[in-house]
Amino acid sequence: VFQQALDRFVVAHRLSSRDRNLLEDLIAHHMKFGEDFQRVNPAHAKRYLYLAEKRGYDGDDYLDLAQGCLFLDMVCGSMQTNGTSKHRVELFANALKSEHDYAPERRVQKEMQRATQKNRERNRVFQEVGLDGVALLELLNMEAGPKFGRLMRQIQDAIVGEGTMPAFPALLQKEIDKRAGEYYHRVFKLGI
């Protein structure tokens, strides 16, 4: 019955076979996940990362999804045997703390990788819309050098909300605004 229900769910939501297997593993382990984090235990975070690796999943994604299951089950849907509702937030907090304590350097490395990837994506979109160095050199009619580099960084930082836009003549500002609008359109569409 469970397999048939899962199969119907997979078809209805057009999940790939990999996602089906991932969902089945999450369902199969969700109660154990709650038991494992009765207290903070970094070794259990390692256990789930190992399980994910053995099954061919991204370990961080698997742990995030398992924590999501724990949150939905033990925090949002938790019910004690005496019939009173008790949201077991401590289990969720223990799971997060266990992951945090398992390998802090791993977390820092992942954050650096995410930042590098985000920067690459941002620069790719800047290039597509004409806000990269080559396009801005031509638009601003400047020579390459430190002065241009600072101005380019100011423009790009302003576009991503990390600075203020320098003042330009009206026609030039209109073109930069147009390119910035296209940048925002693409970034929001891509979810960057």
Side-chain angles (χ1 to χ4, degrees):
V1 171
F2 168 75
Q3 290 294 332
Q4 290 173 347
L6 184 60
D7 289 341
R8 285 193 305 274
F9 181 85
V10 166
V11 169
H13 294 280
R14 297 183 179 132
L15 298 180
S16 67
S17 61
R18 181 191 172 283
D19 288 343
R20 182 201 191 285
N21 293 339
L22 175 60
L23 180 60
E24 190 171 16
D25 278 343
L26 288 167
I27 292 168
H29 290 95
H30 84 281
M31 292 303 290
K32 180 71 175 142
F33 198 73
E35 291 171 18
D36 284 344
F37 295 105
Q38 296 291 325
R39 54 190 130 320
V40 175
N41 189 339
H44 287 293
K46 179 181 180 180
R47 177 175 172 251
Y48 288 100
L49 291 169
Y50 176 78
L51 173 70
E53 183 182 309
K54 287 303 238 181
R55 302 257 201 239
Y57 310 133
D58 177 88
D60 291 316
D61 289 346
Y62 183 80
L63 203 51
D64 290 345
L65 290 168
Q67 289 166 346
C69 291
L70 178 69
F71 177 77
L72 291 172
D73 188 26
M74 300 294 179
V75 177
C76 297
S78 180
M79 184 69 84
Q80 295 292 27
T81 55
N82 65 6
T84 61
S85 176
K86 181 173 187 231
H87 304 289
R88 303 183 66 196
V89 177
E90 72 281 355
L91 296 178
F92 183 62
N94 290 344
L96 294 174
K97 179 85 168 112
S98 296
E99 178 187 15
H100 181 272
D101 291 352
Y102 165 60
E105 68 284 349
R106 189 173 183 275
R107 188 185 73 255
V108 170
Q109 182 184 24
K110 275 290 197 188
E111 285 301 317
M112 288 174 35
Q113 288 173 341
R114 285 186 190 112
T116 299
Q117 181 62 28
K118 183 177 180 179
N119 196 37
R120 272 193 211 115
E121 285 296 312
R122 185 181 83 170
N123 288 338
R124 183 185 59 75
V125 177
F126 275 147
Q127 185 177 21
E128 288 176 2
V129 300
L131 289 168
D132 64 317
V134 174
L136 287 174
L137 267 176
E138 185 178 313
L139 179 66
L140 300 172
N141 196 24
M142 291 180 73
E143 295 289 323
K147 183 178 177 183
F148 168 73
R150 285 188 297 275
L151 184 59
M152 178 185 74
R153 179 62 43 217
Q154 275 185 294
I155 293 168
Q156 291 178 346
D157 285 350
I159 289 170
V160 298
E162 296 174 1
T164 56
M165 183 67 75
F168 293 105
L171 246 52
L172 194 54
Q173 187 63 55
K174 184 176 179 182
E175 181 60 26
I176 290 173
D177 290 345
K178 181 181 124 199
R179 294 178 186 192
E182 181 60 26
Y183 172 84
Y184 297 134
H185 175 75
R186 291 181 188 211
V187 164
F188 292 130
K189 188 175 180 182
L190 293 172
I192 297 174

